[in-house]
């Protein structure tokens, strides 16, 4: 499955975000432990994506001034899948991930690189929610299947950091504007 999957009009970005917002509000009521387990279970079910999509994401990250490095990250943390180093201008992706997971993680890290490089967003819950919403838009647009881990990741981080769930709706314009820039660059 390549290209944009079944989504083509830009107005769908807003629909995807609005749907995600409703789910985040519902899932926020769950405990952190339950959200973590649901997230872990969902990550393993994501399927799809193409090598071209992954290379396009790398090309976009490089255009934004970030090197993308794939390597085993278990020496840092066994659960670490990706990391963005704003100061060093690099994105690390765990080399052990499947292609669909690399697409998802790289799009999340690109969200950090493009929305948080200015250092103005201090709230960790907000940063993680924005980056994961960016990833959700990417994976939905790319047509990845069973892609619902964001539905648990976002409320988990917001809850952990004490970020009110009502704030998620406020991030919509920033996320969609940043995501649209990437889609324009990729010609999608």
């Amino acid at each position: 499955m390549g290209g944009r999957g079944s989504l083509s009009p830009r107005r769908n970005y807003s629909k995807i975000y609005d749907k995600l917002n409703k789910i985040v509000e519902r899932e926020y009521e769950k405990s952190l432990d339950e959200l973590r387990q649901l997230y872990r279970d969902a990550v393993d079910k994501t399927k799809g994506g193409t090598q071209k999509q992954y290379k396009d994401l790398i090309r976009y990250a490089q255009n934004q001034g970030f090197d993308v490095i794939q390597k085993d990250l278990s020496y840092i943390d066994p659960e670490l899948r990706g990391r963005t180093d704003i100061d060093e201008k690099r994105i690390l992706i765990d080399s052990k991930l499947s292609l669909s997971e690399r697409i998802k993680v790289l799009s999340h890290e690109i969200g950090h690189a493009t929305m948080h490089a200015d250092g103005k967003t201090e709230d960790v819950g907000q940063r993680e929610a924005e980056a994961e919403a960016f990833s959700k838009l990417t994976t939905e647009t790319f047509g990845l299947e069973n892609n619902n881990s964001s539905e648990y990741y976002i409320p988990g981080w917001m809850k952990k950091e004490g970020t009110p769930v009502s704030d998620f709706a406020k991030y919509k314009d920033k996320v969609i504007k940043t995501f649209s820039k990437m889609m324009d660059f990729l010609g999608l």
Side-chain angles (χ1 to χ4, degrees):
M1 207 182 298
R4 295 180 78 164
S6 61
L7 300 173
S8 53
R10 282 222 171 194
R11 65 184 178 275
N12 283 329
Y13 302 160
S14 185
K15 288 180 183 178
I16 294 167
Y17 197 97
D18 291 343
K19 181 180 175 186
L20 181 59
N21 186 47
K22 287 179 184 172
I23 294 167
V24 166
E25 287 175 349
R26 182 187 72 226
E27 297 300 325
Y28 193 82
E29 299 305 315
K30 293 183 171 143
S31 73
L32 273 175
D33 288 339
E34 188 176 5
L35 287 167
R36 283 185 187 116
Q37 187 57 52
L38 287 165
Y39 170 74
R40 284 187 199 107
D41 293 345
V43 164
D44 295 335
K45 295 177 183 168
T46 303
K47 304 287 182 235
T50 66
Q51 195 65 33
K52 180 187 180 318
Q53 290 169 331
Y54 185 63
K55 287 180 180 178
D56 282 347
L57 290 174
I58 291 172
R59 189 168 52 91
Y60 183 69
Q62 290 170 336
N63 176 267
Q64 298 301 300
F66 284 80
D67 291 324
V68 177
I69 301 163
Q70 293 183 106
K71 63 193 239 179
D72 182 351
L73 300 180
S74 61
Y75 73 95
I76 298 171
D77 179 341
E79 293 192 26
L80 184 64
R81 299 159 27 109
R83 174 176 278 171
T84 299
D85 186 328
I86 300 293
D87 296 332
E88 296 290 324
K89 303 287 275 184
R90 77 177 162 204
I91 295 172
L92 302 175
I93 303 296
D94 193 328
S95 58
K96 298 183 310 290
L97 300 176
S98 69
L99 176 62
S100 58
E101 289 175 304
R102 282 185 281 140
I103 289 170
K104 182 161 183 34
V105 172
L106 180 54
S107 61
H108 175 99
E109 299 305 329
I110 288 171
H112 282 304
T114 55
M115 288 186 282
H116 308 134
D118 62 7
K120 292 181 181 176
T121 308
E122 293 182 21
D123 183 296
V124 174
Q126 178 180 346
R127 286 195 314 257
E128 290 302 324
E130 289 173 343
E132 191 62 18
F134 185 94
S135 176
K136 177 69 170 179
L137 288 171
T138 304
T139 56
E140 286 282 325
T141 302
F142 283 3
L144 272 66
E145 300 169 17
N146 299 320
N147 173 33
N148 64 348
S149 59
S150 301
E151 298 167 8
Y152 310 113
Y153 186 92
I154 293 168
W157 269 100
M158 293 181 78
K159 183 172 241 167
K160 179 180 179 226
E161 296 300 320
T163 306
V165 70
S166 58
D167 285 3
F168 186 67
K170 298 175 188 174
Y171 313 149
K172 179 180 176 179
D173 290 341
K174 178 181 179 182
V175 172
I176 290 175
K177 180 180 176 183
T178 307
F179 177 74
S180 294
K181 286 180 183 178
M182 182 175 78
M183 291 294 102
D184 288 345
F185 176 84
L186 297 177
L188 300 174

